[in-house]
Amino acid sequence: MEAVVGVLIFVIALFAVITLIRSVRIVPQQRMDVVERLGKYKRTLSPGLNLLVPFVDAVRTKVDMREQVVSFPPQPVITSDNLVVSIDTVLYFKVVDPVRATYEISNFLQAIEQLTVTTLRNVIGSLDLERALTSREEINRHLSSVLDETTGRWGIKVTRVEIKAIEPPPSIRDSMEKQMRAERERRATILNAEGHKQAQILTAEGEKQAAVLRADGDRQARILQAEGQAKAIRTVFDAIHTANPSQKVLAYQYLQSLPQIAQGSANKVWIVPTELTKALDGLGGALGGLANMAGDKPSESVDSDAVEREAAAAARAAAAEAEAVNAQVRAAEAQVSGDNGAKGLPAPEPIPPSAALGAADYNGAGEPERA
């Protein structure tokens, strides 16, 4: 009898413990428990300590209210240009109404996955490959709006949809890589051409500026040389007119300049006609007119204007006499050439200036006669 009483007390104690355990429910933070009473929705337990009617109330589902992340496997999608691409998506969602998430749909996660795949195929099917690769933001926004509108009836809030990767076929990837390489090579060629063009332009500008500076330097040098020559000529003329040289000195200076005239590379034959003495007399008279007028004596002071006028007159007279001499030389050359061509004789040797001036000691061979 005592054993039966002991078993009964143990059963009663065990029943009391089980009843206590089933009547007390502790719900953690960010979780909601849906409670049914005799198979019908009764209430939703909030986080904390909650009391239930034992053997009458039962927890149907435990809903996590935190935002959740789900990664769907790659899905094959056909674009508008008939290319099959593989797309990976990531979905961010949270449960806002645990009752509807429990009773409106049996498996909301599977429903969201299938809805995402179908919506993604509709969106990608209206785009070509190039636009699909460059329009991820547009695709994400469209997916998010469609999923949020549909899952709102299930008590689900889709916060964000992201496309992880869009993988085209291997052959298309190779073609795209070749296209990108060609595009980069084209850009590199254009940049090289632009750099070469700029270098040529800068080089041309530098050469232009250098040429301008050189031309300016040459001009300045020529101006300075001309000014120096003008001052030198003025100084020489002033010195000549101040010294008042005689006719003999001028004739001697002219004779000294004759070898320099004959040193030209084109002067093969130099003929001095017999009339050269008369020409020299006239040239000496023209250049020494000032000496005859001044009595062949140096003057103390010279009028600059008079010096210039006299120098110009002397230069004109010298030019006229030189032209006459050149005419006589050309005539003599023509005559000698005609005679040599007719008789077949060699051209005569040039006559030294001393013979042309009538030197008494010239014997025809360039040496003075001996007694």
Side-chain angles (χ1 to χ4, degrees):
M1 187 66 182
E2 293 179 357
V4 174
V5 173
V7 171
L8 183 60
I9 293 173
F10 176 75
V11 171
I12 293 172
L14 181 61
F15 179 77
V17 171
I18 294 173
T19 303
L20 181 62
I21 293 173
R22 291 181 66 89
S23 63
V24 176
R25 176 71 62 175
I26 299 175
V27 180
Q29 185 68 29
Q30 291 295 328
R31 199 184 80 179
M32 303 289 285
D33 293 351
V34 178
V35 177
E36 294 180 350
R37 178 171 291 179
L38 300 177
K40 183 179 178 181
Y41 171 75
K42 178 61 178 176
R43 63 187 177 122
T44 303
L45 301 181
S46 59
L49 180 63
N50 297 275
L51 298 177
L52 301 176
V53 178
F55 305 106
V56 177
D57 294 341
V59 177
R60 170 69 182 271
T61 56
K62 300 176 181 179
V63 181
D64 192 350
M65 303 301 292
R66 295 174 297 178
E67 187 173 1
Q68 303 179 40
V69 181
V70 180
S71 179
F72 298 135
Q75 299 293 328
V77 181
I78 301 176
T79 60
S80 62
D81 49 356
N82 297 325
L83 293 176
V84 178
V85 295
S86 179
I87 301 180
D88 297 345
T89 56
V90 177
L91 182 66
Y92 297 83
F93 72 95
K94 64 185 300 184
V95 178
V96 295
D97 191 346
V99 177
R100 284 190 295 174
T102 303
Y103 295 103
E104 293 292 336
I105 189 167
S106 62
N107 190 343
F108 63 85
L109 188 59
Q110 184 180 3
I112 292 174
E113 179 181 359
Q114 296 301 321
L115 182 61
T116 302
V117 171
T118 55
T119 306
L120 188 62
R121 287 178 178 175
N122 292 332
V123 174
I124 299 298
S126 61
L127 303 176
D128 56 6
L129 178 60
E130 184 176 359
R131 188 177 176 187
L133 292 174
T134 57
S135 304
R136 292 193 178 189
E137 292 295 334
E138 181 181 353
I139 297 173
N140 293 337
R141 286 195 300 269
H142 188 75
L143 285 174
S144 180
S145 62
V146 172
L147 292 175
D148 190 30
E149 180 182 358
T150 305
T151 58
R153 302 192 306 268
W154 305 336
I156 308 297
K157 173 65 176 178
V158 176
T159 58
R160 190 177 183 85
V161 180
E162 291 289 341
I163 296 179
K164 289 198 300 183
I166 300 177
E167 296 293 337
S171 59
I172 301 300
R173 288 200 299 268
D174 295 339
S175 300
M176 294 172 63
E177 291 176 0
K178 292 179 181 179
Q179 182 180 1
M180 290 301 299
R181 283 197 298 268
E183 180 68 20
R184 289 170 182 172
E185 290 176 358
R186 183 183 69 84
R187 292 179 182 178
T189 303
I190 292 174
L191 291 177
N192 290 332
E194 288 291 336
H196 184 68
K197 174 184 175 182
Q198 293 296 330
Q200 293 291 335
I201 291 175
L202 294 177
T203 303
E205 289 290 337
E207 292 178 354
K208 174 184 175 182
Q209 294 180 4
V212 170
L213 293 177
R214 283 195 297 269
D216 187 67
D218 293 341
R219 182 178 66 85
Q220 295 292 337
R222 291 176 182 272
I223 290 173
L224 294 177
Q225 290 177 0
E227 291 178 356
Q229 291 178 359
K231 291 181 180 180
I233 293 173
R234 176 61 62 85
T235 303
V236 171
F237 271 103
D238 291 342
I240 291 174
H241 286 279
T242 301
N244 193 11
S246 63
Q247 182 178 0
K248 296 177 181 180
V249 174
L250 297 177
Y252 178 73
Q253 292 293 330
Y254 182 77
L255 288 176
Q256 287 183 342
S257 64
L258 285 179
Q260 299 178 359
I261 298 175
Q263 286 178 359
S265 60
N267 296 331
K268 302 301 182 182
V269 179
W270 181 262
I271 299 175
V272 180
T274 56
E275 291 83 0
L276 183 59
T277 56
K278 296 180 180 180
L280 291 176
D281 292 339
L283 183 58
L287 295 177
L290 183 60
N292 295 331
M293 294 175 60
D296 202 12
K297 294 181 180 180
S299 59
E300 297 298 332
S301 62
V302 178
D303 188 1
S304 298
D305 295 336
V307 169
E308 292 180 357
R309 289 193 298 271
E310 291 174 2
R316 287 193 296 272
E321 292 295 336
E323 184 65 27
V325 171
N326 289 333
Q328 293 176 3
V329 169
R330 286 193 296 271
E333 288 178 353
Q335 183 178 0
V336 171
S337 299
D339 293 341
N340 291 338
K343 296 180 181 181
L345 297 178
E349 297 180 356
I351 302 174
S354 58
L357 293 176
D361 56 351
Y362 181 74
N363 58 0
E367 297 180 357
E369 296 181 355
R370 297 180 181 179

